[in-house]
Amino acid sequence: MRREAAGMMAVRGSVVRWVTGDIINTHYLTNRFTLQTQQKCGFRKVAKKVEPKKGVAEEIEANEILQKKDVAPSPDRPTPHPPTRSFGRLVKPFVFTIGFTGCSFGGAAIWQYESLKSRVQSYFDDVKADWLEKIRPQKQGDLRKQVNQWWNSLSEGQRTVTGIIAANALVFCCWRVPSLQRTMLKYFTSNPASKALCWPMLLSTFSHYSLFHMAANMYVLWSFSSSIINMMGKEQFVALYLSAGVISTFVSYVSKTAMGRFGPSLGASGAIMTVLAAVCTKMPEAKLAIIFLPMYTFTAGNALKAIVALDAAGLILGWRFFDHAAHLGGALFGIWYILYGHELIWKNREPLVKLWHDFRTRGPGAGGNGSI
């Protein structure tokens, strides 16, 4: 009898640990992206039937009397329902997409104007700095000098995307802070069923939860940085990159709403697909290779066709491993911008630049002839 009792106690203890472990695992998963509300079945005793207390019994009896008199009882708490397909919620993100894209390219035009204006002054500052560098005694092991030499050895495109990579790395570190999880899920993931719709369209472009995901995206961005910035300059590139992130997220919103498949998305893949598509459209005969298979080369045009076909198939067949709608939207935006958008947007920036020039020359100390 003692052995049987000990065996029963051991089985009961293991069941308690099993069920407790399931509850802990469920609580852990609820802090991640997927909410798990079901537990595994365990051996439990049949719950005894609890007699309602006197106050509860009286309330039940009163509700029955009210029902007989055709009077509705007190309403229960509303149960949560899954989000419905409401395209009306996409009006605000659509307006945000148009407005943010216009502000991005407008700001880039003003940025380029200011850069050209200060280029002469920068030239004289560089000459003065070189002269001071020659007469100043050199320090051995100067860390600042080594950093400056490394920075100057980079191309203009690499220096431009370094800030984007640093921003992505900072957001990646923020994902590791437990107290920031709720904020990160709200503002750094894009979901058409979320309360926050607009700013996550931009912030999720700099958000990665997986280290491999971030490393792969930043490697592609670093590889194509020199080509894309040689094509359009750093100012136009920054406007294109930021606009692509918002536009690709909006395409993802439309796809999720149309299919009724709501869920959070994050990553810079949509914006990077725009960069990749722009380079491949501008230079379709350029040779590309996969990092792990450098012996196999293919043209940029064929690579773009394969990527677009893959994402289109994933969108039609309902693959859910990647956000294929965001990838496809980013690629199509990159193709459109090289073929038509550059002519429609960037080459028509003259009125805005002239307006900004007039505004700047009206300031105190400006010349009366309006010259720079």
Side-chain angles (χ1 to χ4, degrees), residues 140-151:
Q140 297 295 331
D142 191 354
L143 179 61
R144 183 177 179 181
K145 180 181 178 180
Q146 294 176 1
V147 172
N148 289 334
Q149 289 178 350
W150 170 79
W151 180 258

Side-chain angles (χ1 to χ4, degrees), residues 41-88:
C41 297
F43 298 98
R44 299 176 181 176
K45 293 182 178 180
V46 179
K48 295 181 179 180
K49 185 176 181 180
V50 181
E51 295 293 336
K53 295 182 180 180
K54 186 177 181 180
V56 178
E58 292 177 355
E59 184 179 354
I60 295 174
E61 184 178 356
N63 287 335
E64 292 177 354
I65 295 173
L66 290 175
Q67 289 177 358
K68 291 179 180 180
K69 293 181 178 180
D70 295 333
V71 178
S74 59
D76 297 330
R77 293 181 179 179
T79 57
H81 297 283
T84 57
R85 303 181 187 182
S86 176
F87 286 96

Side-chain angles (χ1 to χ4, degrees), residues 121-137:
Q121 183 64 35
S122 298
Y123 171 77
F124 288 109
D125 291 341
D126 293 339
V127 172
K128 183 179 178 180
D130 293 339
W131 178 74
L132 291 175
E133 188 71 20
K134 291 179 181 179
I135 64 175
R136 187 176 62 180

Side-chain angles (χ1 to χ4, degrees), residues 282-302:
K282 190 70 174 180
M283 299 181 293
E285 299 302 325
K287 294 294 182 179
L288 302 178
I290 303 176
I291 181 175
F292 300 109
L293 299 172
M295 69 289 298
Y296 298 104
T297 60
F298 42 85
T299 62
N302 291 334

Side-chain angles (χ1 to χ4, degrees), residues 22-23 25-26 29-30 35-41:
D22 289 341
I23 296 174
N25 291 334
T26 305
L29 289 177
T30 54
L35 298 178
Q36 302 290 345
T37 57
Q38 296 181 352
Q39 299 179 4
K40 297 180 180 179
C41 297

Side-chain angles (χ1 to χ4, degrees), residues 28 36-37 61 77 79 86 100 108 174-175 193 211 249 272 274 287 308 312 337 344 354 370:
Y28 176 76
Q36 302 290 345
T37 57
E61 184 178 356
R77 293 181 179 179
T79 57
S86 176
F100 183 83
C174 290
W175 274 107
L211 178 61
T249 304
I272 291 174
T274 299
K287 294 294 182 179
V308 171
Y337 187 81
L344 294 175
K354 187 177 183 304

